[in-house]
Amino acid sequence: MFNEKLGIFPSVLVKELPHDWNKSTRSLLVIDKYDPVESNELAIKVGDIIQFLVEVSDGWWFGKVNENLGIFPSNFVRELPPDWEESTRDFLAVCHYDTSESDKLAFHMGDVVQFISEIRNGWSFGKFNEKLGIFPLNFVRELPPDRDKIRRKLLAVEMYAAPVQSNELAIRVGDIIEFMVEVSHGWCFGKCNENLGIFPSNLVRELPPDWNISPRLFKVHESFNSESIDRLCLASGDMIQFVLDHDGNWFWGRIDEQIGKFPRSHVTEILDEQISRTAKASNIVQATSVISSYPCYLDKLKKYLEVIFPYEAGSTTELDLAVGDLIEFIEEVEDGWYRGSNLKNGKTGIFPSNFVTELSDFDSYLRGLGANFSNKSSPEMDLFNQDFYQSDIMSLLECSICLDLCAGRIQV
């Protein structure tokens, strides 16, 4: 940078540098192009990053860009924060932006651009695919910082099948849309069936976070047929999982993977059966004093659940359920979810609690174990050998007697 020649020079032509000038961490973003007039001036363009070195005079600074040193007008730049490269503000591209200019960022719809600084006149400076550059703000929308924690799902309640623009999303009734960002009043951007695009917000309804594991179930007591694309066809005995209220006469629900509306008048909510089971369970302890003095192994009994609806695991931590499976209860992990072990295959995982019911007549099962103890090939014996209940026949019978006492079937 310096030659080895000594000599005198006019002091008005120099500016003292701070001792650590070559370690300056001040970064400046060029927001306007400047073509140099003098030989000591820097040629700068929008999006350049200048390393600030020293202030020369009012309105003029000295710095370094692309290994070139020189002065430049200070009102053509904007200072960046020290951690500008670690910016956490992200913008989602809601349509394609193609450009061949080296100082601008090109991106496709759905790409995420790291925002660094606003420039002016609708342009910002950012980073995409490790490249720095400027981009138009009207092609992007800022993403919320908690987007990875909050996954908003929308239900298409009307069809939008004829998009006008290339960045619009075609949706059908019953489609589940992953909401990403609001584009403008009346329009949202999201993902449906691996396709990205914008869609009218008045054609969708927001779903509750637990919509796919709703505890509300309905049983069809009267068949219903319809050719309307937004309605479910119902057969007597069908089970419908509740999704959303529609109005006073209709619900949105799901049968298998199909979502649609169904009339309230043709279904009965599975509630009476649950009340009956609760009442039965409430009768089970009236002989506490008897049990406490009775020598048995009741405290060793575990809680078992019977699967009443099939469930397909959505992740490796979840458990597949088939109707009739017997599950050993381990713990309640959160509201609406249990952890347990499937006695059929020994696998352990979590599952929705409304897909099972507590096995209230387990004492009968124990009696069956005792009756079939000599049958080494019985399924009950297989469960018994899998640490299902580690005791002898007498222990099983004692526990069964205690259950009889609790239920009031025998008197002491």
Side-chain angles (χ1 to χ4, degrees):
M1 184 176 294
F2 306 105
N3 56 38
E4 299 298 323
K5 186 177 180 179
L6 298 172
I8 62 173
F9 54 89
S11 59
V12 295
L13 300 182
V14 297
K15 185 75 174 180
E16 186 174 358
L17 291 167
H19 69 280
D20 59 349
W21 66 272
N22 60 337
K23 298 180 181 178
S24 172
T25 58
R26 289 182 64 184
S27 297
L28 309 172
L29 173 66
V30 177
I31 59 175
D32 275 321
K33 181 181 179 182
Y34 179 74
D35 294 317
V37 177
E38 303 293 340
S39 59
N40 65 334
E41 295 177 359
L42 275 178
I44 55 178
K45 63 182 184 299
V46 176
D48 280 345
I49 302 294
I50 303 176
Q51 181 186 4
F52 173 87
L53 298 178
V54 69
E55 185 176 351
V56 176
S57 62
D58 186 31
W60 287 87
W61 290 347
F62 183 80
K64 179 181 179 182
V65 61
N66 299 327
E67 302 303 321
N68 297 315
L69 293 166
I71 63 173
F72 54 91
S74 59
N75 61 329
F76 279 57
V77 298
R78 175 174 294 164
E79 186 156 3
L80 293 170
D83 59 348
W84 65 271
E85 293 184 277
E86 306 301 323
S87 171
T88 57
R89 291 181 64 185
D90 290 330
F91 281 66
L92 177 71
V94 296
C95 53
H96 301 294
Y97 178 66
D98 295 318
T99 179
S100 58
E101 298 180 49
S102 60
D103 61 334
K104 295 179 180 177
L105 295 178
F107 45 74
H108 293 95
M109 183 170 61
D111 286 338
V112 177
V113 181
Q114 180 186 2
F115 173 88
I116 294 175
S117 176
E118 188 174 347
I119 297 179
R120 62 174 57 176
N121 300 328
W123 289 82
S124 288
F125 179 76
K127 185 178 182 181
F128 175 64
N129 283 342
E130 302 304 318
K131 179 184 176 182
L132 295 170
I134 63 173
F135 59 94
L137 278 175
N138 61 324
F139 280 67
V140 297
R141 293 294 182 274
E142 186 166 7
L143 289 166
D146 58 353
R147 65 184 185 277
D148 292 330
K149 297 179 181 178
I150 303 175
R151 298 284 186 178
R152 293 176 61 187
K153 300 288 187 179
L154 308 174
L155 171 67
V157 297
E158 291 188 42
M159 183 172 64
Y160 187 65
V164 178
Q165 304 295 330
S166 60
N167 65 330
E168 293 181 4
L169 186 66
I171 56 177
R172 300 170 300 176
V173 173
D175 278 345
I176 304 299
I177 305 168
E178 181 183 346
F179 172 87
M180 292 185 174
V181 70
E182 185 176 356
V183 177
S184 61
H185 180 66
W187 289 85
C188 296
F189 185 90
K191 182 178 182 180
C192 178
N193 300 323
E194 302 303 318
N195 297 314
L196 295 166
I198 63 173
F199 54 92
S201 58
N202 63 323
L203 302 185
V204 298
R205 293 270 302 276
E206 184 154 6
L207 291 165
D210 60 348
W211 70 272
N212 58 334
I213 55 168
S214 170
R216 296 185 65 184
L217 297 168
F218 292 83
K219 186 173 183 178
V220 178
H221 60 70
E222 182 180 348
S223 298
F224 175 78
N225 292 311
S226 174
E227 295 182 358
S228 177
I229 60 173
D230 63 340
R231 298 177 182 179
L232 293 173
C233 289
L234 310 177
S236 182
D238 280 349
M239 298 297 296
I240 308 173
Q241 184 180 27
F242 173 84
V243 173
L244 203 65
D245 267 311
H246 182 72
D247 56 30
N249 299 316
W250 295 82
F251 286 136
W252 286 91
R254 180 169 69 166
I255 299 179
D256 297 327
E257 296 304 315
Q258 185 181 3
I259 296 178
K261 287 189 295 186
F262 63 96
R264 295 176 180 228
S265 57
H266 287 60
V267 298
T268 302
E269 189 163 4
I270 306 300
L271 192 60
D272 295 338
E273 185 179 352
Q274 293 175 353
I275 293 174
S276 174
R277 286 174 180 159
T278 303
K280 184 177 181 181
S282 68
N283 292 329
I284 292 183
V285 177
Q286 296 179 4
T288 306
S289 58
V290 176
I291 294 173
S292 61
S293 61
Y294 197 89
C296 71
Y297 297 84
L298 187 61
D299 59 334
K300 294 183 182 179
L301 282 174
K302 299 175 183 177
K303 179 178 175 181
Y304 293 93
L305 311 169
E306 183 181 6
V307 177
I308 57 175
F309 300 111
Y311 178 75
E312 185 176 347
S315 69
T316 55
T317 62
E318 296 181 7
L319 200 61
D320 285 318
L321 305 177
V323 174
D325 282 354
L326 196 63
I327 308 295
E328 180 184 327
F329 173 85
I330 296 175
E331 62 176 340
E332 184 174 2
V333 292
E334 59 180 83
D335 188 31
W337 287 86
Y338 289 163
R339 186 188 309 280
S341 178
N342 192 325
L343 296 178
K344 181 171 65 176
N345 52 32
K347 293 183 178 179
T348 299
I350 63 174
F351 53 91
S353 59
N354 61 305
F355 280 58
V356 298
T357 183
E358 188 171 353
L359 197 62
S360 56
D361 57 347
F362 192 60
D363 55 329
S364 299
Y365 195 88
L366 290 178
R367 292 183 187 278
L369 267 180
N372 294 319
F373 188 78
S374 60
N375 184 0
K376 303 300 183 181
S377 62
S378 68
E380 291 84 357
M381 191 61 215
D382 292 337
L383 295 176
F384 184 86
N385 287 334
Q386 294 175 22
D387 195 28
F388 183 64
Y389 187 87
Q390 294 187 5
S391 64
D392 56 19
I393 294 295
M394 186 60 68
S395 299
L396 290 172
L397 293 177
E398 283 183 2
C399 289
S400 186
I401 291 171
C402 283
L403 289 171
D404 284 336
L405 285 170
C406 293
R409 291 190 289 269
I410 60 176
Q411 302 294 324
V412 179

